Amino acid sequence: MSLHGSPMVRSSLAAAIFLFSATTVGAQTWPVCFEDGAILTPEGYRALREAREAYEQGPAWASTVTLYAQPGYDEADPAAKERLTVVHLEVIHAGFSPAIEILKPYESAEPHCVSISVRRLEAGRPPSLRTWHYYPVFFDSGSAVVDPKAMSALRVYAATYQPGMRVVLHGFTDTAGSPEVNLALSRRRIDAVTDAFIRLGVHARDVETTAYGETNLMRPTADGVSYWMNRRVGIDMRMQPR
């Protein structure tokens, strides 16, 4: 079963839109293993380097990357979650695109290992723009505080940032409260996410914001309804290809 439906993966995974079609023509897979806790072994780092070299052998937009969780992955296991987050960050730091799938455990992976797979593609015409749509940051009712779970997700998102990218933030509320109060609240939520991104290394000049208040609801409701899906900041990153 795919892990895409789990809240942890949705909150830490960048979903990339590629404006071209491609078919898989081959794949290589490497185990990426850990010592005690969430510390990668030297062989784990070597596997990431080898995967990166394989990724770079083809022309741009000719490969995709997939991470497979460790066998028996359990979201309730803090160590397993931390390992998946650590390897996701290390993959990004190694220079991979943030367009990384996280899927079910790879059947042949060793215990305490995740796997990274590089698939070779037959690519069509490359796009003129890359846009990554991230799972939103959600807020408690009336709050503009970024909670620890959201901060963990923003840490992953910020790792995909490069100076010159546009970080586009859209702030929203539910319909509880007046339109004026909600518009101001959506601005405070944007400010909170912006501040978090800046602390994580995003340049303030690269952040673009729009506050919508209680308009553009993710889940339409009647007036005066407090609903969690509508209390959010949407996050996109846009970058011209090299």
Side-chain angles (χ1 to χ4, degrees):
M1 177 180 294
S2 169
L3 295 177
H4 280 305
S6 72
M8 187 283 294
V9 172
R10 290 199 308 266
S11 67
S12 65
L13 184 62
I17 293 180
F18 291 94
L19 305 180
F20 74 106
S21 60
T23 57
T24 303
V25 296
Q28 290 178 276
T29 301
W30 295 262
V32 181
C33 300
F34 293 86
E35 298 174 354
D36 292 339
I39 300 174
L40 283 176
T41 65
E43 293 78 11
Y45 283 106
R46 187 178 306 115
L48 292 179
R49 289 195 299 271
E50 291 177 0
R52 176 61 184 172
E53 291 171 0
Y55 180 76
E56 290 182 330
Q57 286 177 0
W61 307 97
S63 299
T64 64
V65 182
T66 302
L67 292 179
Y68 294 89
Q70 68 184 55
Y73 175 83
D74 181 359
E75 191 183 55
D77 180 356
K81 290 176 62 175
E82 180 64 14
R83 286 169 184 157
L84 199 56
T85 299
V86 165
V87 76
H88 189 192
L89 288 168
E90 291 297 340
V91 163
I92 295 169
H93 290 154
F96 285 98
S97 161
I100 300 171
E101 297 177 291
I102 300 179
L103 299 177
K104 64 182 179 181
Y106 190 67
E107 287 76 5
S108 63
E110 303 171 25
H112 307 302
C113 299
V114 301
S115 299
I116 182 168
S117 178
V118 175
R119 297 195 298 272
R120 309 293 298 164
L121 306 173
E122 291 178 348
R125 185 172 64 86
S128 58
L129 179 71
R130 287 182 286 178
T131 298
W132 293 286
H133 302 287
Y134 294 84
Y135 193 69
V137 170
F138 293 96
F139 294 84
D140 291 336
S141 182
S143 173
V145 175
V146 178
D147 65 23
K149 179 179 178 180
M151 279 300 304
S152 178
L154 293 179
R155 181 165 62 107
V156 175
Y157 302 166
T160 72
Y161 164 81
Q162 299 175 32
M165 295 179 74
R166 300 299 296 167
V167 180
V168 183
L169 306 179
H170 304 280
F172 307 88
T173 70
D174 55 30
T175 61
S178 70
E180 296 78 15
V181 168
N182 285 334
L183 183 60
L185 177 57
S186 67
R187 290 193 182 111
R188 293 200 304 274
R189 287 172 175 168
I190 288 174
D191 290 344
V193 173
T194 299
D195 290 345
F197 268 135
I198 291 172
R199 291 197 302 272
L200 292 166
V202 173
H203 294 175
R205 64 177 177 270
D206 289 334
V207 180
E208 175 184 325
T209 66
T210 305
Y212 292 92
E214 62 182 52
T215 64
N216 296 319
L217 300 174
M218 182 180 288
R219 178 67 61 84
T221 69
D223 190 36
V225 175
S226 176
Y227 190 72
W228 71 272
M229 289 182 69
N230 295 326
R231 304 189 297 263
R232 71 198 191 279
V233 169
I235 303 168
D236 294 343
M237 286 194 189
R238 301 172 183 165
M239 180 177 180
Q240 294 289 343
R242 293 174 294 183

